[in-house]
Amino acid sequence: MMQRLLPHPLLTVLLTLIWLLLSNSIALGQLVLGMLLGWAIPFFALPFWPDKVKVHKPLTLLKFTYILLHDIVEANFIVAARILGNPAKLRPAFIVVPIDLDSDFAMSILANTTCLTPGSLSALLAPDRKSILVHAMDVEDEEAFIRTIKTRYEQPLKEIFEE
């Protein structure tokens, strides 16, 4: 019964927090509106979610979130420095990154993660779902780039959503 009334509790809390950050207020009215939106969006989107998302390691999720936020901030400075420095020295590349994820949700999070970190974006998921094509603004070593994505993002996502 509780699952029918609150289909995605974690998402409800996350959406409520996002609303409070966007409204820049913790007034009671904003909190109530945030909670209402946090409940309604997952409730009405339920038919579009094929599987219930299970977080197997919440602490790993927190660590992943911290790492991602850190990487976003750091990448912004790096991209700005490279663009303002000498853009002619940039080495853009499309790189095929093999992935070992089974969960569609985890694959989606990985693709979005590469888009959130400035200087890279995921361009294509292979039809066999075993690799993604990533464009990077400046790549010195392709193997190191692949290793970074696999260890920093893919492995934690596998632990969080698949184990």
Side-chain angles (χ1 to χ4, degrees):
M1 180 64 169
M2 182 64 169
Q3 189 168 350
R4 288 187 66 218
L5 294 175
L6 193 62
H8 294 284
L10 184 63
L11 184 58
T12 299
V13 171
L14 182 65
L15 289 171
T16 301
L17 290 173
I18 289 171
W19 177 258
L20 292 174
L21 289 171
L22 287 173
S23 66
N24 199 25
S25 170
I26 55 170
L28 182 61
Q30 292 298 333
L31 180 63
V32 170
L33 182 57
M35 290 171 56
L36 181 64
L37 289 171
W39 168 80
I41 291 170
F43 183 77
F44 289 112
L46 191 59
F48 304 107
W49 291 60
D51 300 319
K52 179 148 175 57
V53 175
K54 283 193 161 194
V55 175
H56 298 283
K57 294 190 176 179
L59 292 177
T60 305
L61 176 60
L62 288 174
K63 182 180 174 188
F64 174 79
T65 303
Y66 172 78
I67 288 170
L68 179 60
L69 291 174
H70 174 270
D71 288 355
I72 290 171
V73 171
E74 182 180 45
N76 272 297
F77 287 110
I78 292 169
V79 167
R82 289 187 178 152
I83 297 288
L84 294 173
N86 187 356
K89 289 186 177 180
L90 294 177
R91 299 158 295 201
F94 280 99
I95 301 168
V96 176
V97 179
I99 56 173
D100 301 316
L101 297 170
D102 297 319
S103 162
D104 289 342
F105 188 74
M107 284 183 218
S108 176
I109 297 294
L110 179 63
N112 284 298
T113 297
T114 59
C115 290
L116 285 172
T117 52
S120 66
L121 68 100
S122 56
L124 179 70
L125 175 64
D128 66 358
R129 304 165 94 64
K130 295 296 179 194
S131 64
I132 58 172
L133 181 64
V134 177
H135 181 270
M137 182 184 78
D138 191 26
V139 178
E140 183 176 334
D141 180 1
E142 284 190 26
E143 290 303 315
F145 182 83
I146 292 170
R147 200 170 33 257
T148 299
I149 288 179
K150 293 191 74 60
T151 57
R152 240 174 134 73
Y153 305 127
E154 182 188 30
Q155 187 56 42
L157 289 172
K158 191 169 190 67
E159 291 176 21
I160 295 165
F161 297 112
E162 294 184 357
E163 292 182 358

